[in-house]
Amino acid sequence: MTDLADFTARLTALTDGRASAPRVRDGVMTIALNVGGLSADRRDGLADAIRQGALTVPGVTDVRIAMTSERRAMRIIAVASGKGGVGKSTISANLAVALHRLGHRVGLVDADIYGPSQAKLMASEDQKPQARDKKLFPVHGTLGIPMLSMAHLVDPGKALAWRGPMAGNALSQLVDANWGDVDLLIVDMPPGTGDIQLSMLQKHKPAGAVIVSTPQDLALIDATRAVSLFEQAGVPMIGLVENMAGYACPHCGEISDPFGQGGAETAAGEMAMPFLGRVPLAIDIRRRSDAGDPPAAGEGDHADIFRAIAGKVSDWVKALPG
């Protein structure tokens, strides 16, 4: 048998502080459990463990667990690069999917107003968002992840001849949509350091930024400019991802493509930034991305790579105050 004081101490450790102090009346123990951000399996497993432990307390014949979900303010993670063509959108889509699979309530915004690609990457090209009270409601992409892109609002292939203020207003509509219970919004930023990026930083203030670069020296120079922009705006750097990295031959160690590998990791060290991981230049990633089936949604080596990167981002977010 376990007395109430011992059980209370065990309860705090078991739930990582998510449970209220237990109350017992007429043999019934009542506990409030904050399940915000937990997967269904984790939530149910935790409730079962609490129930089993509670029934070992003398005099307790029934256990009632009130599950609550403390809603936190939505945090924005910007995924950025200093130039186009480095695969930033592919990283954004797979990061959103991997974070979703880790239990986060994730949303995805395609902030590349002039060249949106997330609708294709997330298999939502045929969907149109609804609007109510001047707010957009997201459509749903791969794994049901809520998302918004200009590709959902304009005809395919139509060029947008918009100046900076118009593009900035469009971005605000996407970010300020009705995101429901989303608490982590991944924003796929347009490349460069222009008006749209400045609008995003000044109005929406991301909690942190992930920078994407290929291993090439030219790409790394542009990535450094992107880092500088975020630092000037006071946005913390979560880390750097090296994309399109070469494979090393298991026999001779030679890198199998002209991009090479390791340049971004070296640059991250020079800038005192965390290195989040390396994504290979692999045909399977390209094919699945074109098909609207992000590798992070499945299993295998490539899914594991994105899951590891998302795990580091998740740990960073969990360490934020509040």
Side-chain angles (χ1 to χ4, degrees):
M1 287 290 186
T2 303
D3 64 28
L4 185 59
D6 287 342
F7 173 73
T8 301
R10 288 171 48 202
L11 181 66
T12 301
L14 174 67
T15 64
D16 195 23
R18 288 175 172 268
S20 67
R23 297 183 178 182
V24 179
R25 182 175 180 179
D26 297 331
V28 178
M29 179 181 288
T30 304
I31 298 169
L33 177 66
N34 175 17
V35 296
L38 298 183
S39 66
D41 289 344
R42 173 64 176 149
R43 177 194 66 205
D44 294 343
L46 200 55
D48 287 343
I50 291 171
R51 189 171 288 106
Q52 291 175 18
L55 290 173
T56 66
V57 176
V60 173
T61 57
D62 191 14
V63 183
R64 296 176 184 173
I65 301 172
M67 295 189 184
T68 65
S69 182
E70 179 184 350
R71 185 173 179 180
R72 298 180 177 179
M74 185 175 69
R75 289 179 168 127
I76 295 173
I77 302 297
V79 181
S81 65
K83 64 180 297 180
V86 299
K88 170 185 51 58
S89 293
T90 298
I91 297 297
S92 299
N94 281 280
L95 178 61
V97 169
L99 285 166
H100 172 82
R101 295 187 70 185
L102 289 174
H104 291 274
R105 299 192 298 276
V106 180
L108 176 64
V109 164
D110 189 350
D112 195 343
I113 302 298
Y114 301 111
S117 56
Q118 289 296 345
K120 181 175 182 62
L121 291 169
M122 298 289 283
S124 61
E125 291 176 286
D126 59 343
Q127 299 186 51
K128 297 293 182 183
Q130 301 297 311
R132 190 181 311 137
D133 298 327
K134 298 183 179 180
K135 277 189 176 288
L136 292 172
F137 281 72
V139 303
H140 290 86
T142 302
L143 301 185
I145 293 174
M147 62 175 297
L148 282 171
S149 167
M150 284 305 297
H152 299 127
L153 299 171
V154 300
D155 294 332
K158 182 180 179 180
L160 293 178
W162 288 355
R163 296 188 183 275
M166 294 178 66
N169 289 336
L171 173 59
S172 291
Q173 281 192 299
L174 301 181
V175 176
D176 293 334
N178 189 329
W179 289 100
D181 65 351
V182 166
D183 59 12
L184 194 60
L185 188 65
I186 305 301
V187 177
D188 176 14
M189 298 286 289
T193 56
D195 287 344
I196 297 178
Q197 291 86 345
L198 290 172
S199 295
M200 179 71 199
L201 298 181
Q202 292 170 357
K203 183 173 182 179
H204 302 289
K205 192 66 175 180
V210 171
I211 305 298
V212 180
S213 179
T214 61
Q216 299 162 288
D217 289 343
L218 287 176
L220 291 166
I221 290 171
D222 290 321
T224 301
R225 294 193 185 101
V227 170
S228 177
L229 175 69
F230 282 99
E231 288 180 339
Q232 289 177 47
V235 176
M237 291 292 103
I238 301 174
L240 188 69
V241 174
E242 182 174 281
N243 193 31
M244 303 184 190
Y247 286 105
C249 173
H251 304 294
C252 66
E254 182 179 349
I255 302 302
S256 62
D257 79 276
F259 281 4
Q261 70 168 224
E265 184 173 8
T266 300
E270 292 172 350
M271 291 185 285
M273 283 176 58
F275 180 66
L276 299 178
R278 181 177 294 112
V279 179
L281 182 62
I283 189 65
D284 178 64
I285 294 177
R286 195 270 292 170
R287 285 173 175 164
R288 292 188 63 177
S289 297
D290 286 349
D293 179 26
E299 302 297 334
D301 291 344
H302 295 151
D304 291 343
I305 289 170
F306 288 115
R307 188 177 297 115
I309 292 171
K312 293 177 181 179
V313 175
S314 177
D315 290 343
W316 189 91
V317 170
K318 290 176 181 176
L320 291 174

